[in-house]
Amino acid sequence: MDASELAITGGNPVRTSPWPSWPIATDQTMANLEAVMLSGRWAISGAYTGTKGYEKSFCQAFANYQGSSYAIATTNGSAAIKIALQEIGVGPGTEVIVPGLTWVACASTVVDLGAVPIIVDIDPETLSISVQAAEAAISPKTVAILVVHAYCSAADIDGFVDLSNRTGIALIEDCSQVHGAEWRGQKLGSFGQLGVFSLQQTKLLTCGEGGIVTCRSQEAYSRLQQYRANGRIYTTHPVAGQLELVEKGEVYSANHCLSEIHSAIALAQLEKLDEQNAVRDANASYLANALEKIPGVNTINPPVGLTRRAYYDYVIQLNPDIVGPFSIHKVVEAMAAELGTFIETLDAPMNSNILYNPLLSKMANTEELRRQLNPKRFDLPFAHKAYNTSFAFLHHLLLGTTKDMDDIISAVSKILGCIEKLRG
Ligand SMILES: Cc1ncc(COP(=O)(O)O)c(C=O)c1O
């Protein structure tokens, strides 16, 4: 058989052996799980047992890790964004600026609070929200900018901090894809008023489903606790056998509490994050070095401020004239067939993403709101260009060896060598 025959058309794939798996049930994860199951407390709304709960321990460990004063865990990243928006005062009559190339929850949580997401374009170099586009979208109704650090890079946080200082508009940093990343030696997520993180299964730090918010002030901490627990906060003097959450009722809120079981997992996983990120970083550098030598292939160069990089999705871009008139989905399918693993496109741009249709929301209940919420009114040329020319794989492939990276390089070379066949 012709060695260059693509796997997608019946040729031999570059690789048939398994990839490193994700998530990883470490010994500590299993030990924590057993301990929490036997602890008699599976939820922070359950009675205090006399021993510090896992949710509290995880929040403290994560706040320390981030160099933030406080952290508040939530059921998922969307709930983390939602309570962060509530804390900033987002609601009917306000606007929040969000990037046009990211997961849909970044906009839909804004709609759920009765506010209008103003969707802006990305910086093509970082795939993250552009400072200039955000500044141009500011109106008297703008109360926050959701600065999402995307895929395997980061937004220009210096530029956003400057914008926030000049305008008084709050920054919420969404670090769901960059756990552990640092900007000039400081953790991303600690520059804005609030940092939010998803802990969903594919993330660099995970407990299956979960989220967390970080903040600096005691007042914000008190309110954020209430936003996530129906107006309740931790008592400072817990008594065994009694509830540890006490009623405060200073905000209108719901239940977004992370369970003790999920928190026990997250606490164990946090121990491994830096070690795993270091392996990913070394493999990603090896990969970039080789991929950049293949004509027509580009990788994402980190902005100078990003002194420690985190890789959620490793993004590979093809020159637009190579992709030409045919769909990037074909490249994605061909790569998946060569490597025997999941390969994906970037998120579909928010003005044409079938998962983001705010006009189906009960919030779109006047003609004027339907006009404002309609995603089609936003122009996102760089988001579309990036979407049409990029494919990506998830970070656990980077947990292997340089031999594994060689397989990725071979698959990219093979596909580019057969691009005409693929086109046909
Ligand atoms: C950038 C970003 N923000 C928010 C979320 C939402 O997190 P969750 O799925 O935990 O609700 C995600 C999840 O994919 C994400 O990638």
Side-chain angles (χ1 to χ4, degrees):
M1 183 180 291
D2 179 359
S4 69
E5 179 72 32
L6 290 171
I8 198 174
T9 52
N12 287 330
V14 167
R15 180 178 174 118
T16 50
S17 52
W19 290 92
S21 61
W22 187 265
I24 302 172
T26 59
D27 290 347
Q28 192 60 54
T29 308
M30 299 311 287
N32 282 12
L33 267 177
E34 184 168 16
V36 70
M37 296 316 285
L38 299 174
S39 71
R41 189 178 189 191
W42 293 359
I44 59 168
S45 51
Y48 178 62
T49 59
T51 309
K52 197 202 265 183
Y54 280 98
E55 195 258 19
K56 206 171 198 181
S57 298
F58 170 58
C59 288
Q60 285 172 353
F62 193 74
N64 287 343
Y65 179 79
Q66 279 294 116
S68 294
S69 308
Y70 307 99
I72 304 93
T74 55
T75 42
N76 51 49
S78 307
I81 298 176
K82 196 164 177 179
I83 69 168
L85 293 170
Q86 286 181 301
E87 165 60 14
I88 299 296
V90 172
T94 66
E95 292 177 353
V96 179
I97 294 172
V98 304
L101 191 74
T102 188
W103 180 235
V104 288
C106 298
S108 56
T109 44
V110 176
V111 178
D112 289 349
L113 290 172
V116 175
I118 303 298
I119 301 167
V120 304
D121 213 350
I122 55 161
D123 173 344
E125 296 294 313
T126 64
L127 306 178
S128 300
I129 183 168
S130 145
V131 181
Q132 289 73 21
E135 180 156 16
I138 292 173
S139 85
K141 293 181 185 168
T142 311
V143 292
I145 303 173
L146 188 65
V147 180
V148 181
H149 300 294
Y151 303 109
C152 56
S153 190
D156 171 12
I157 199 65
D158 292 339
F160 276 106
V161 168
D162 174 59
L163 180 60
S164 174
N165 289 341
R166 284 189 282 116
T167 58
I169 294 169
L171 301 181
I172 300 173
E173 284 182 82
D174 184 338
C175 302
S176 296
Q177 304 188 348
V178 290
H179 309 74
E182 292 178 4
W183 187 271
R184 303 191 199 288
Q186 184 182 329
K187 286 276 171 347
L188 283 175
S190 62
F191 290 85
Q193 273 78 350
L194 301 169
V196 298
F197 302 74
S198 166
L199 306 175
Q200 177 268 344
Q201 149 143 0
T202 60
K203 302 302 185 303
L204 297 168
L205 174 65
T206 181
C207 58
E209 291 278 9
I212 194 158
V213 184
T214 53
C215 70
R216 288 191 278 264
S217 81
Q218 165 78 53
E219 293 74 29
Y221 178 55
S222 171
R223 280 190 301 268
L224 282 161
Q225 283 194 71
Q226 294 178 62
Y227 280 121
R228 70 88 157 81
N230 295 101
R232 293 168 294 174
I233 62 169
Y234 277 122
T235 173
T236 45
H237 297 97
V239 175
Q242 302 297 315
L243 296 186
E244 193 177 0
L245 292 183
V246 292
E247 296 180 4
K248 201 87 163 144
E250 292 170 339
V251 303
Y252 179 73
S253 69
N255 178 9
H256 304 293
C257 295
L258 189 69
S259 81
E260 283 289 286
I261 301 159
H262 290 90
S263 304
I265 299 171
L267 183 63
Q269 294 285 314
L270 182 58
E271 284 179 8
K272 291 282 178 193
L273 177 59
D274 281 346
E275 191 183 313
Q276 291 166 342
N277 272 350
V279 176
R280 291 180 184 111
D281 198 36
N283 277 325
S285 300
Y286 177 89
L287 197 53
N289 209 16
L291 289 176
E292 288 287 346
K293 292 190 182 118
I294 305 176
V297 177
N298 296 302
T299 59
I300 306 297
N301 284 322
V304 277
L306 190 58
T307 48
R308 186 181 287 195
R309 199 169 170 186
Y311 294 84
Y312 167 65
D313 255 338
Y314 190 95
V315 178
I316 300 173
Q317 296 194 309
L318 302 179
N319 281 357
D321 48 330
I322 289 187
V323 186
F326 81 98
S327 149
I328 193 70
H329 291 268
K330 274 200 177 174
V331 179
V332 167
E333 281 169 34
M335 276 295 286
E338 295 302 337
L339 294 176
T341 190
F342 176 64
I343 306 289
E344 56 188 346
T345 62
L346 304 184
D347 298 290
M350 209 76 90
N351 59 359
S352 56
N353 189 320
I354 59 159
L355 300 181
Y356 179 61
N357 188 351
L359 301 184
L360 295 177
S361 158
K362 293 277 184 289
M363 300 294 174
N365 57 8
T366 65
E367 267 316 301
E368 179 51 16
L369 270 172
R370 292 182 72 76
R371 189 196 65 75
Q372 290 178 23
L373 289 172
N374 190 344
K376 300 268 182 260
R377 78 180 172 103
F378 301 105
D379 202 20
L380 306 170
F382 288 125
H384 280 270
K385 189 172 176 201
Y387 178 79
N388 288 328
T389 54
S390 310
F391 61 94
F393 59 82
L394 281 166
H395 58 87
H396 57 97
L397 270 54
L398 297 174
L399 288 176
T401 60
T402 49
K403 165 77 193 68
D404 294 326
M405 300 306 105
D406 289 339
D407 285 343
I408 297 171
I409 297 157
S410 300
V412 173
S413 300
K414 184 175 171 188
I415 286 171
L416 282 176
C418 299
I419 205 85
E420 286 309 325
K421 274 193 213 157
L422 199 59
R423 220 187 281 274

